[in-house]
Each structure stands twice: as C-alpha cells, then as structure tokens.
Amino acid sequence: MAERSAHEHAVPAADAGAMRVESVGGRVLLHFSGRLDAEVISHLWDEAMAHAASGRPVSVEAVDITGMDGSGMALLLKLRLAGAEPQGLAPRFQALMDMVDAKGLEPNHDGECKECGLAEQVGRMAGGVGRDTSRLIAFVGECGLVLFQALLHPRTIRRKDVLDSMVAVGVDSMPILLLIGFLMGLILSFQSAVSLMRFGAVIFVPNMLGLVMFREMGALITAILLAARSGSAFAAEIGTMKVNEEVDALVTMGLSPMRFLVAPKVIASLLMIPLMTMFFNFAALVGGAVVMLSLGFPLATFTGRVFSNTTALDFGGGMAKALVFSVLVAGVGCMRGMGTGSGAESVGRSTTGAVVSGLILIAVADGIFAVIFYYMGW
C-alpha cells in the first residue's frame, strides 16, 4: 500500500473554508471544503500554487465546497490551467466554470521581444499571422450565420441600431466623401487633359473618367475612406465596451454580442457603402465636368461621352466590389473591437489594427476582382 500523509491548512474561523493536502505515492491531492471566499483564499493561494508548480501530478477534490466568491473561482481556474481539473464540484459552480474560456486566461506571448533572435521574431510574426487568420475565419463564419438568421428572421435585428449605424456610416461621412470625390474627378480630368492636349485627344477625358470611376476608383476610394473613418469607429466603440466589460455583461445575460453589436453594423455597411459609392462617382463626374466646361466643351458632350462608353457591366462590377468591401470594412472593424484586451492602450491597438487590416484586405480583394474580371472578359 502506498504511503499516505495529510495535513490541513485553514484560517481560524468556524465556518471558513479549508484545504487539506494529501500525498498518495507521487500524486498530490488538494481537498477543498467549506466556503472559499477572499479571506480564505488569501491564506491558501500561495500554497496551492506552489503544489501546482511543483511538477508532481496534482488532483483537486471539490465535492465538499459549500460556497465561493470570485477569489475561490479564480483559484480553481488557475489550478485547472495547471492541469488539475476540480472533481466533484457542485453543478451551480461547475456551470460558472464552464462559461470561462480557459485559453483566454493563458499568458499572452504575442508581444514584442526585444531580446529575441531573428528566427524567434520571424516565428512570432508567423504565429501571429496564423492566429489572426484563424480568428478571421471563425469571425466570418459566425457573422455569416448571424446574417443568415437575420435574413430568415428580420425581427431579431434591432432596426434602431441598424438606422443609427447607417447614419454613422452614410450620412455623417457624406461631406468628406463628396469633397474627395469632386477633387478626385477634378484632378484626374485636369491631369489627363493636360497630357492629351498635345495629341488633340482631350475629348477622350470623359471616357477615361467614367470608366475609371465606375469600374475601379469609386468603390476602392469609398471603401478606403470608410475603413479609416467607420471601421476605426466600430473597433473603438466595441473595444471600449469590451474594456468596460459591457460585452461580458451581454454574454452573462444570455445575449449574443454578434447579433446585438456586429450584425447591425455589417447590415448598415451593406446598405450604405454601395449607395455612397454612387454618390462618390457622381461627385467625381461633377469635378470632371467642371474641367471640361472650362476647356470649352459643352456639358452635353461630356455626359454623352461618359454614358456612351460606360456599360452596365462596368457599373455592376463596381457595385459588386462595393458590396464585398463593405463587409470587409465593417467586419474587420468589429472583429478587432471584439478582440480588444484590457486597458485603454488595447483600444488604440484595436483601432489601428482595424484600419491597417481593412486596407490590406481591400487591396487584396481588389486584386482578386481584377483577375476575375480579366478572365471573364469584362
């Protein structure tokens, strides 16, 4: 029979909790009993953690626990992370423990390491890219499921939240969007006209402007502007809620953050960004018309050249890009916000990450569209 020794560590209180440590062969058994509150845990924590870090197998017996607060739950979670799963825990306590994602409690080793070698730094970067890709795939899948459910059951989405997001994405962004669109059309037309004057081909400026704006620049620049404005705002809003534990409060109440926070923003972007792309194109055409009128061409000539050389496929291709870009802008902003850690600094990192990731994904998606359009003969 294996040797068995035991001792008990408790605080001097009649109804206080206690921890009995037993050694059975090479295994350590931690037997908890009574109520594990902050006062009790302050006496037990160091000893329990010392046993968990000793390298010997540890078992946790929790069948005699009658009550606990957050400190007791934290101790059991730390022991679980160390590989000692509490056994015999009452169902009401076990349900609380099962709500905690143990992976989220693990130390984060993704930060910068100034003393690491080149190989380790490259490995950290590769690991970060892999984790970001995994999170993106999981987020896209969950977001797609929520949008599909919203399509089947529209009443599950709060219309007021969608309208507020539409105002933030569309109405509030309209002045800067129209200004940039007008200046883009003005500058492109003027620069093209100066170059084409030597060949007597200024009449082709409307052809170029309409084709470039409807097929490429309209959707692209609109998405870039909104990634910098709305995508960062989404990340900051949800990130602040995450820091203030408002997202955790939604989960505690049994509400889905994806349905209450993410879905309205994505739906608003899907509805508004294609519309704003059309406004951007219109403002660019106005800028081009100003240049052509200043060069002595009548407005009828300008509009006739634009619309006679722009097909429905050009317009449809630009709208298809706008739809995809809208999902990327809103989705990446919300994803970065949901991944915000603790502290005000993490909100800034999430906001910056939302803009950078959004711009990269927009550029990649635009390149994919260019290849698709080429092979389709558009």
Side-chain angles (χ1 to χ4, degrees), residues 7-11 16-22 29-34 36 40-41 43-49 51 60-61 75 79:
H7 71 277
E8 186 170 323
H9 189 105
V11 295
M19 180 181 71
R20 187 172 70 252
V21 181
E22 299 182 1
L29 174 63
L30 305 180
H31 183 92
F32 292 95
S33 60
L36 303 182
V40 172
I41 294 302
H43 295 273
L44 304 183
W45 186 282
D46 291 339
E47 183 180 359
M49 290 295 100
H51 286 296
V60 177
E61 185 67 37
L75 177 59
L79 292 172

Side-chain angles (χ1 to χ4, degrees), residues 347-367:
V347 177
R349 286 197 299 266
S350 297
T351 304
T352 303
V355 176
V356 174
S357 301
L359 295 180
I360 293 174
L361 290 176
I362 288 170
V364 172
D366 190 59

Side-chain angles (χ1 to χ4, degrees), residues 289-376:
V290 170
V291 172
M292 296 302 292
L293 288 173
S294 66
L295 294 177
F297 291 89
L299 183 60
T301 301
F302 175 81
T303 55
R305 300 289 297 183
V306 168
F307 294 107
S308 64
N309 291 277
T310 304
T311 65
L313 291 177
D314 298 328
F315 178 78
M319 290 299 102
K321 288 184 179 182
L323 286 173
V324 174
F325 293 163
S326 65
V327 176
L328 294 177
V329 169
V332 170
C334 294
M335 185 189 73
R336 291 297 184 183
M338 294 293 289
T340 303
S342 59
E345 183 182 356
S346 61
V347 177
R349 286 197 299 266
S350 297
T351 304
T352 303
V355 176
V356 174
S357 301
L359 295 180
I360 293 174
L361 290 176
I362 288 170
V364 172
D366 190 59
I368 295 174
F369 269 112
V371 174
I372 293 174
F373 289 169
Y374 172 78
Y375 282 105
M376 293 182 66

